[in-house]
Amino acid sequence: MIVLPAVAPPLPRENKWKRDLTPADALRWLADGWHDFRVHMGASLAYGVLVFLVSLGIVGGLFAYGHDYILFPALAGFMVVGPILAVGLYEKSRRIMAGEPVSLLRMIFVRPASGPQILFTGLLLCLLMLTWMRAAIIVYALFFGVTPFPGLDHVAEMLFTTPTGWAMLVVGGAVGALFASFSFAISAFSIPMMLTERVDALTAMGSSFALVGSNLPVMLTWGAIVLALFLLSVATGLIGLIIVFPLLGHGTWHAYKAMKP
């Protein structure tokens, strides 16, 4: 007769995340991000310039190869992959809090605690961005069929002066909102988490999703701030990314730290 050893049931783990943050906290994150931006400002500005040059190169490539019809979905997709591009800014804020030296090289060559898992998350975000861009093309085809893209000079007239254009804006906006909400939820805290903790990609993204859902009012406020500043950067021909991207990156780090008691 085999006697199985008694196994005590696992005790519930103490919750280590906050779930009582208010919308006002989002403004505090932005202020803390501005503080980190001004500390060793040259490093953050250089990082912002790199992001601006890469973005400008991608936009220029779309026009050079005749793919300007996916410009707007590509700009929206930038917000999907933005968190993985900001990992160096998270590292700078982490170093400031820890009292460690800060430099642009240390921001570029980051060694996250999760190792390659953070790259896997970046790959998943890139795939999500490509899926969104394909969905945007399908939405356009559903409403306008095989009609060629009229070009940026006439796109406003096509969208805002025809019933079909308005219908496409409503449906496309709804589809885009679903993609944006999902990508924001899984990436808001997963990248900073993997920078400092040994955690796999799926666990980090699941935790991020749960944290966003548990702090919905403040996260909606933070998402609105991110969207407003990004649209401001687009209005300046992406030049605003030089300041806005580092500011939001540092602010996101403080949002992640605020979730811990």
Side-chain angles (χ1 to χ4, degrees):
M1 182 178 183
I2 301 177
V3 179
L4 296 177
V7 178
L11 297 176
R13 292 169 50 183
E14 182 181 359
N15 179 18
K16 64 175 183 177
W17 301 103
K18 287 186 178 179
R19 288 177 168 83
D20 56 352
L21 299 175
T22 65
D25 289 300
L27 298 177
R28 188 176 301 110
W29 302 340
L30 193 65
D32 291 339
W34 178 246
H35 169 269
D36 287 359
F37 176 83
R38 290 185 295 120
V39 176
H40 298 285
M41 185 183 295
S44 292
L45 282 175
Y47 202 97
V49 168
L50 290 176
V51 172
F52 165 70
L53 292 176
V54 171
S55 303
L56 196 64
I58 293 175
V59 172
L62 292 178
F63 280 95
Y65 289 97
H67 297 315
D68 56 324
Y69 60 92
I70 61 172
L71 175 62
F72 294 116
L75 289 175
F78 177 85
M79 299 188 67
V80 176
V81 299
I84 193 67
L85 297 178
V87 64
L89 299 167
Y90 307 152
E91 174 66 7
K92 178 189 172 183
S93 291
R94 185 197 68 78
R95 286 179 169 272
I96 291 174
M97 293 185 70
E100 300 176 2
V102 174
S103 68
L104 180 61
L105 288 178
R106 290 186 174 93
M107 294 168 64
I108 295 176
F109 299 101
V110 181
R111 299 184 64 179
S114 62
Q117 288 294 317
I118 200 169
L119 297 178
F120 179 60
T121 303
L123 176 62
L124 293 178
L125 292 177
C126 288
L127 291 176
L128 183 61
M129 181 189 71
L130 293 176
T131 303
W132 151 242
M133 293 173 65
R134 178 56 61 182
I137 295 174
I138 292 174
V139 170
Y140 176 86
L142 287 175
F143 285 91
F144 291 100
V146 294
T147 303
F149 183 70
L152 296 180
D153 295 337
H154 305 285
V155 66
E157 179 181 355
M158 180 187 71
L159 293 177
F160 297 108
T161 62
T162 64
T164 304
W166 278 106
M168 195 201 78
L169 284 175
V170 172
V171 174
V175 174
L178 289 175
F179 275 94
S181 300
F182 180 71
S183 64
F184 178 72
I186 65 173
S187 63
F189 301 119
S190 58
I191 308 300
M193 186 183 302
M194 286 186 287
L195 178 65
T196 58
E197 301 181 21
R198 291 181 58 86
V199 60
D200 64 273
L202 297 181
T203 298
M205 288 188 289
S207 300
S208 178
F209 192 95
L211 287 171
V212 171
S214 299
N215 293 278
L216 201 55
V218 67
M219 294 312 299
L220 287 176
T221 305
W222 180 245
I225 292 173
V226 172
L227 178 60
L229 291 179
F230 177 72
L231 291 178
L232 179 63
S233 299
V234 173
T236 62
L238 299 180
I239 296 177
L241 284 177
I242 296 175
I243 295 178
V244 168
F245 192 81
L247 174 62
L248 293 177
H250 294 313
T252 299
W253 169 261
H254 286 283
Y256 165 68
K257 296 302 291 183
M259 293 294 168
K260 289 189 172 184

